[in-house]
Amino acid sequence: MLPAQHGGGEGKVAIIDTEGAFRPEKIAPIAERFGVDCESVLNNLLIARAYNTDHQMNMIRDLAAIMMEEGPFAILIIDSMTSLFRVDYVGRGELSARQQSLGQMLSKITKMAEEFNVAVLITNQVMSNPDGGMTFVSDPKKPVGGHVLAHASTTRLELKKGRGDCRICKVVDSPSQPEAEASYQVCKKNQNSCF
């Protein structure tokens, strides 16, 4: 992987994909941009597809053993943390059980991050706020997972669509960064302006 002097983590990447969204063909342009061999990058990715919350929890448990045997790992990516919880725990009647299960999973992830010194990137989903239509809130969407997920996260970023091909990244909460926004665009080399 990318050496530390070039901003890399010098370790493997573990990805738990809960939505079937990972596309290996997207790795080639990223590897090319950083001057790294694509095949080498792909060989350092550990990718697993989870199909329900029990499967996701088992993968997290198994991953700890893999990190001990095959390390070092630099980052764990879970895309998306909450999508399977929305499927397995439906309605407000199961909200308490969902939040307890989510909290247990986040606790295991936090312990793994500390034990193996691995960064964790979690993507999340948003949902319409059932109370949002009754207030004058400009954006009636709220993150799935509520306070349980918010308190388990060190830095929370909100990514949203901007004008045209631009996107906006907002620092929602961070112990080391003020709340702020920045525009960005994912594009080919030497095309980096959103304005």
Side-chain angles (χ1 to χ4, degrees):
M1 288 282 143
L2 203 60
Q5 65 263 30
H6 292 111
E10 292 186 342
K12 297 178 182 181
V13 176
I15 301 171
I16 297 177
D17 182 2
T18 66
E19 299 181 332
F22 179 77
R23 300 288 177 261
E25 61 271 12
K26 297 227 176 197
I27 299 299
I30 297 169
E32 182 182 322
R33 179 180 183 269
F34 288 99
V36 181
D37 177 54
C38 181
E39 201 62 37
S40 171
V41 172
L42 289 171
N43 288 336
N44 283 295
L45 295 179
L46 176 65
I47 304 152
R49 174 82 160 91
Y51 293 98
N52 60 48
T53 53
D54 289 336
H55 192 208
Q56 186 173 343
M57 180 66 97
N58 289 336
M59 284 183 175
I60 290 166
R61 284 187 190 127
D62 294 345
L63 186 56
I66 292 169
M67 285 183 172
M68 285 179 70
E69 293 172 13
E70 299 180 20
F73 279 78
I75 187 167
L76 165 61
I77 300 170
I78 302 175
D79 181 22
S80 149
M81 184 69 199
T82 56
S83 67
L84 298 176
F85 284 91
R86 294 180 75 185
V87 173
D88 290 354
Y89 299 90
V90 181
R92 290 183 184 229
E94 294 189 10
L95 182 61
S96 177
R98 179 183 83 182
Q99 294 303 88
Q100 284 181 339
S101 181
L102 179 61
Q104 290 170 351
M105 191 177 292
L106 289 166
S107 176
K108 289 197 181 310
I109 292 167
T110 301
K111 288 174 187 169
M112 187 184 327
E114 291 170 358
E115 183 176 344
F116 297 105
N117 194 30
V118 63
V120 177
L121 174 70
I122 294 173
T123 67
N124 194 15
Q125 297 180 338
V126 294
M127 65 178 192
S128 296
N129 185 348
D131 304 326
M134 298 179 182
T135 61
F136 297 100
V137 178
S138 62
D139 189 6
K141 292 187 255 358
K142 65 179 187 176
V144 175
H147 295 293
V148 172
L149 189 56
H151 291 300
S153 305
T154 304
T155 298
R156 290 183 292 140
L157 305 174
E158 176 185 346
L159 306 177
K160 57 187 175 182
K161 188 164 176 40
R163 291 186 179 152
D165 290 337
C166 287
R167 303 289 184 262
I168 299 168
C169 178
K170 178 180 180 181
V171 177
V172 175
D173 187 35
S174 174
S176 59
Q177 298 295 319
E179 189 173 306
E181 287 186 358
S183 296
Y184 69 96
Q185 184 177 12
V186 179
C187 52
K188 294 181 181 175
K189 198 174 184 179
N190 298 328
Q191 298 175 349
N192 56 8
S193 175
C194 279
F195 307 102

